[in-house]
């Protein structure tokens, strides 16, 4: 009897051990998002990317998790590599990583892990040491100049004459540079259409305090100075930088904000519109292609450049707070960009932290800081 009891206990212990191993092994997450600098819920780039992955995963019964590289705004390539490797250790089959700073880390980890797929948001086609495109990496870029153009045009049409633009990346972020350049082009187009005099529209323009896309006392002080000196609306182009612009606007009666990447109207009543790109939608699109077995045919080693023709750029006109610029006027302009009648210029210098390249407009005067 004692032997039988001992045998039963041993079997029970073995089954418990097996169950424990099974449970511990079930904590895997096949879709991973490795964030760019800044916080996950930054009301912008990271958040839009994450929400796209989250929405797809929930709709399709997939496990998912985000990873923030160590050291925050000071994250290094090694920090990003560590985050991606951890995602793979935790079972990631596909890693979505926003931001051009991810390039070196993604190249390293993608070469190490050829069976894992990588989605490089705001990136480009990555290559190996022989300059061959990595087949397990796909990239998505956007025509930010289109959204910027729409925002600048709408602002001037709505009666604003003293504009501001503060950009992330210190002048070396291609996406921010395209947003800013498009913004001034749109302001110029509206000014010409209205028959305004040369110099009647001004744009304060700076990358000074946006190198890491973070909110800072220095950025808030700069933008507060702009508002105090008469700037009416500032395009806050760079993740958590929005918080500094928001604080400055709240301290200056009548000050307004233009958001970026996602619809930021919910973040403050001072946001009149946002220059958006379809982060959530495009992340969902790529994940759908991957799970539909189309990686090799549609994604491997390729870069998709999405714009108005893909409904991936624009303004959230339904939540915009314009006073005279109408939805009909917006739809007319958006349609012209969508069908190619209007093509905002996207050619920006690699280092845009010099205002000379913006002194090309007939009416708009750019005051570069």
């Amino acid at each position: 009897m004692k032997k039988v009891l001992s045998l039963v206990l041993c079997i029970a212990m073995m089954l418990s051990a097996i169950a424990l191993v099974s449970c511990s092994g079930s904590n895997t997450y096949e879709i991973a998002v490795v964030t760019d600098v800044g916080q996950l819920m930054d009301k912008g780039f990271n958040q839009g990317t994450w929400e796209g992955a989250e929405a797809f995963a929930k709709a399709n019964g997939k496990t998912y998790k985000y990873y923030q590289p160590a050291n925050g705004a000071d994250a290094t390539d090694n920090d990003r590599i560590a985050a991606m490797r951890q995602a793979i250790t935790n079972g990631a089959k596909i890693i979505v990583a926003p931001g051009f700073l991810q390039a070196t880390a993604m190249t390293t980890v993608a070469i190490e892990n050829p069976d894992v797929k990588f989605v490089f948001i705001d990136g480009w086609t990555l290559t190996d040491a022989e300059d061959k495109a990595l087949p397990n990496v796909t990239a998505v870029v956007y025509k930010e100049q289109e959204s910027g153009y729409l925002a600048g045009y709408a602002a001037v049409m709505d009666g604003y004459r003293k504009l501001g633009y503060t950009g992330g990346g210190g002048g070396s972020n291609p996406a921010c540079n395209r947003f800013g350049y498009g913004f001034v082009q749109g302001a110029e187009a509206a000014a010409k259409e209205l028959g305004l005099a040369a110099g009647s529209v001004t744009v304060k323009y700076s990358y000074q305090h946006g190198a890491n896309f973070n909110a800072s006392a220095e950025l808030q002080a700069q933008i507060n100075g702009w508002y105090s000196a008469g700037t009416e609306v500032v395009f806050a182009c760079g993740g958590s930088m929005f918080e500094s612009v928001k604080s400055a606007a709240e301290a200056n009666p009548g000050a307004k904000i233009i958001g970026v990447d996602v619809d930021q109207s919910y973040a403050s009543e001072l946001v009149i519109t946002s220059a958006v790109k379809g982060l959530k939608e495009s992340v969902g699109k790529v994940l759908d292609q991957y799970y539909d077995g189309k990686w090799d045919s549609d994604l491997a080693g390729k870069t998709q450049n999405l714009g108005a023709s893909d409904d991936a750029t624009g303004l959230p006109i339904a939540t915009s707070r314009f006073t005279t610029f109408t939805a009909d006027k917006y739809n007319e302009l958006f349609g012209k960009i969508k069908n190619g009648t209007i093509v905002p210029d996207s050619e920006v210098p690699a280092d845009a932290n010099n205002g000379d390249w913006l002194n090309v407009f007939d009416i708009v005067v750019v005051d570069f800081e």
Side-chain angles (χ1 to χ4, degrees):
M1 186 67 182
K2 289 183 178 180
K3 289 182 179 180
V4 173
L5 182 59
S6 296
L7 181 60
V8 171
L9 289 172
C10 285
I11 293 173
M13 290 174 66
M14 288 174 63
L15 291 174
S16 296
I18 291 170
L20 182 62
V21 170
S22 176
C23 288
S24 65
S26 68
N27 292 326
T28 59
Y29 307 92
E30 59 182 270
I31 299 174
V33 171
V34 176
T35 64
D36 196 6
V37 292
Q39 298 301 309
L40 174 71
M41 306 307 284
D42 61 358
K43 300 184 178 70
F45 199 48
N46 284 331
Q47 184 171 339
T49 303
W50 166 247
E51 288 176 349
E54 182 181 44
F56 176 88
K58 286 183 175 180
N60 292 277
K62 306 298 182 183
T63 54
Y64 62 101
K65 183 178 176 65
Y66 72 87
Y67 301 81
Q68 291 189 263
N71 297 311
D74 297 318
T76 65
D77 286 331
N78 285 336
D79 295 325
R80 286 181 272 272
I81 288 171
M84 292 181 192
R85 286 175 175 165
Q86 185 60 54
I88 293 170
T89 298
N90 289 350
K93 295 180 180 178
I94 185 166
I95 295 175
V96 184
F100 76 118
L101 294 174
Q102 307 273 14
T104 299
M106 186 177 289
T107 300
T108 299
V109 182
I111 291 173
E112 291 176 351
N113 299 273
D115 293 331
V116 177
K117 302 300 188 285
F118 296 79
V119 184
F120 190 8
I121 301 295
D122 258 12
W124 53 88
T125 301
L126 297 180
T127 58
D128 59 18
E130 297 179 352
D131 204 31
K132 294 180 180 178
L134 293 175
N136 59 329
V137 179
T138 196
V140 178
V141 294
Y142 303 89
K143 299 175 183 178
E144 291 90 356
Q145 67 277 6
E146 296 178 349
S147 296
Y149 185 101
L150 288 162
Y153 181 95
V156 172
M157 280 294 182
D158 207 48
Y160 298 96
R161 299 293 180 265
K162 295 184 177 181
L163 317 180
Y165 166 85
T166 178
S172 63
N173 181 284
C176 288
N177 296 347
R178 290 192 292 268
F179 267 129
Y181 188 28
F183 184 62
V184 184
Q185 291 177 68
E188 174 79 0
K192 285 185 174 180
E193 188 173 326
L194 293 171
L196 301 181
S200 59
V201 176
T202 59
V203 181
K204 300 282 287 185
Y205 201 107
S206 179
Y207 295 101
Q208 272 189 27
H209 304 297
N212 293 321
F213 302 90
N214 285 338
S216 68
E218 293 80 10
L219 176 60
Q220 183 176 335
Q222 181 191 43
I223 305 304
N224 183 67
W226 288 6
Y227 283 133
S228 297
T231 297
E232 299 164 305
V233 59
V234 173
F235 182 10
C237 188
S240 297
M241 293 168 64
F242 177 88
E243 296 301 328
S244 293
V245 176
K246 176 184 172 184
S247 295
E250 289 172 343
N252 289 272
K256 302 296 182 182
I257 308 166
I258 293 172
V260 76
D261 289 335
V262 298
D263 182 0
Q264 295 184 311
S265 60
Y266 71 93
S268 172
E269 292 185 356
L270 302 180
V271 174
I272 61 169
T273 195
S274 302
V276 303
K277 50 190 182 185
L279 291 164
K280 181 177 179 180
E281 294 78 11
S282 55
V283 169
K285 175 185 176 182
V286 172
L287 289 172
D288 189 59
Q289 289 172 301
Y290 165 66
Y291 281 102
D292 202 29
K294 296 180 180 178
W295 183 274
D296 291 340
S297 61
D298 295 359
L299 302 174
K302 298 176 181 178
T303 297
Q304 300 183 66
N305 189 9
L306 306 179
S309 60
D310 310 285
D311 291 319
T313 54
L315 306 179
I317 196 65
T319 58
S320 294
R321 299 182 175 98
F322 298 120
T323 55
T324 58
F325 184 66
T326 66
D328 286 343
K329 184 65 176 178
Y330 168 78
N331 290 330
E332 178 187 350
L333 181 64
F334 180 81
K336 290 180 179 179
I337 294 177
K338 187 170 185 174
N339 67 25
T341 302
I342 295 175
V343 182
D345 189 7
S346 64
E347 295 301 314
V348 297
D351 182 1
N353 201 6
N354 181 312
D356 294 345
W357 66 286
L358 290 165
N359 294 326
V360 295
F361 299 98
D362 297 325
I363 299 175
V364 175
V365 174
V366 178
D367 181 7
F368 197 92
E369 290 186 5

